Amino acid sequence: DVKVTQSSRYLVKRTGEKVFLECVQDMDHENMFWYRQDPGLGLRLIYFSYDVKMKEKGDIPEGYSVSREKKERFSLILESASTNQTSMYLCASSLAGGRSVTQYFGPGTRLLVL
Amino acid sequence: AQTVTQSQPEMSVQEAETVTLSCTYDTSENNYYLFWYKQPPSRQMILVIRQEAYKQQNATENRFSVNFQKAAKSFSLKISDSQLGDTAMYFCAFMKGAYGGSQGNLIFGKGTKLSVKP
């Protein structure tokens, strides 16, 4: 089975702190994604990566950056956390191209910014 | 731009009965995929069922089936013999076809919260 893990289930940070959310997948997937989930808004794509050191902006990239130094790991960075970044963050991964289109999700990180 | 609409924010069903969750989408693409994902209260999002737009036959996975109406851009999920474990948030999602180099970005609806009552 595909396994996608996220470094923390719950995180509490202060406004202005730099925050790192880590995601690791164990199935050699090329594609990795970071989503933000808010009640009544569904999931919105922040950034995605289709290869090591490659990244593309999603729908809501402002205030976030990402890093992919290794194929299995995709990090989401909040350079200076703000209260409006309090949310649930979901990581996902998938194979590239037409081999499989299914995305596999991690358990999520619930971030509270005070 | 593609959009996905789930018009039922919340639904409930009695155990063992059948329930249908609605989803409509808007796209000018001809090659795409549609998904239903389930997110139980524990928060792990899992795939329920997937439909390729080029396939006319509706997808089925055990108690879960879809009614895919391509012309109407409708993609509803039917859950038969509902079980308590079906209680979850259900998301409908759209993805452009992967053949042309799409990296597989999912566009989600806002979700339907389903409660199965004993």
Side-chain angles (χ1 to χ4, degrees):
Chain A
D1 283 349
V2 175
K3 192 167 184 183
V4 180
T5 58
Q6 295 182 229
S7 51
S8 304
R9 291 300 301 269
Y10 301 94
L11 213 50
V12 180
K13 295 292 181 181
R14 297 276 179 196
T15 302
E17 279 193 75
K18 190 169 185 176
V19 182
F20 293 87
L21 303 182
E22 303 284 338
C23 175
V24 177
Q25 49 92 6
D26 67 355
M27 283 302 292
D28 204 35
H29 284 175
E30 290 83 6
N31 299 335
M32 296 189 75
F33 307 83
W34 275 107
Y35 294 91
R36 171 176 170 158
Q37 182 180 8
D38 299 289
L41 296 179
L43 279 76
R44 294 176 291 166
L45 181 66
I46 304 172
Y47 267 98
F48 68 96
S49 168
Y50 52 89
D51 202 351
V52 176
K53 296 192 186 294
M54 305 301 289
K55 60 184 180 183
E56 293 284 344
K57 292 181 180 179
D59 299 320
I60 51 166
E62 297 77 18
Y64 304 94
S65 62
V66 290
S67 172
R68 193 164 181 203
E69 297 296 321
K70 293 184 178 181
K71 190 175 185 180
E72 68 271 18
R73 188 180 299 269
F74 191 36
S75 302
L76 179 69
I77 303 156
L78 287 65
E79 295 288 343
S80 178
S82 63
T83 55
N84 62 13
Q85 292 178 310
T86 290
S87 187
M88 169 71 86
Y89 292 89
L90 294 175
C91 175
S93 71
S94 70
L95 289 168
R99 288 180 291 156
S100 174
V101 296
T102 298
Q103 289 189 16
Y104 297 88
F105 285 82
T109 295
R110 184 170 292 282
L111 173 66
L112 172 63
V113 182
L114 300 174
Chain B
Q2 289 80 21
T3 59
V4 176
T5 302
Q6 294 178 248
S7 58
Q8 307 149 314
E10 292 193 41
M11 293 188 73
S12 65
V13 63
Q14 291 296 130
E15 198 175 4
E17 292 187 350
T18 295
V19 64
T20 299
L21 279 57
S22 301
C23 173
T24 58
Y25 59 96
D26 188 25
T27 185
S28 58
E29 302 286 333
N30 194 47
N31 179 29
Y32 54 88
Y33 299 84
L34 294 163
F35 305 82
W36 278 100
Y37 276 90
K38 169 185 176 181
Q39 188 180 41
S42 65
R43 296 290 186 177
Q44 188 92 33
M45 186 90 74
I46 57 174
L47 177 69
V48 176
I49 201 165
R50 183 183 97 188
Q51 175 80 42
E52 291 86 345
Y54 63 86
K55 289 186 177 179
Q56 292 187 336
Q57 187 172 7
N58 289 326
T60 298
E61 287 288 342
N62 301 313
R63 298 182 295 107
F64 299 87
S65 61
V66 297
N67 183 5
F68 174 47
Q69 302 288 329
K70 191 172 183 179
K73 296 180 182 175
S74 171
F75 183 61
S76 60
L77 174 70
K78 186 172 83 171
I79 306 174
S80 303
D81 186 25
S82 297
Q83 300 176 1
L84 296 178
D86 296 332
T87 291
M89 198 76 170
Y90 287 81
F91 291 96
C92 179
F94 170 98
M95 178 190 292
K96 287 196 297 185
Y99 307 117
S102 166
Q103 302 305 327
N105 301 343
L106 282 168
I107 298 167
F108 285 87
K110 295 181 179 180
T112 296
K113 184 177 181 181
L114 177 67
S115 299
V116 180
K117 300 185 184 304

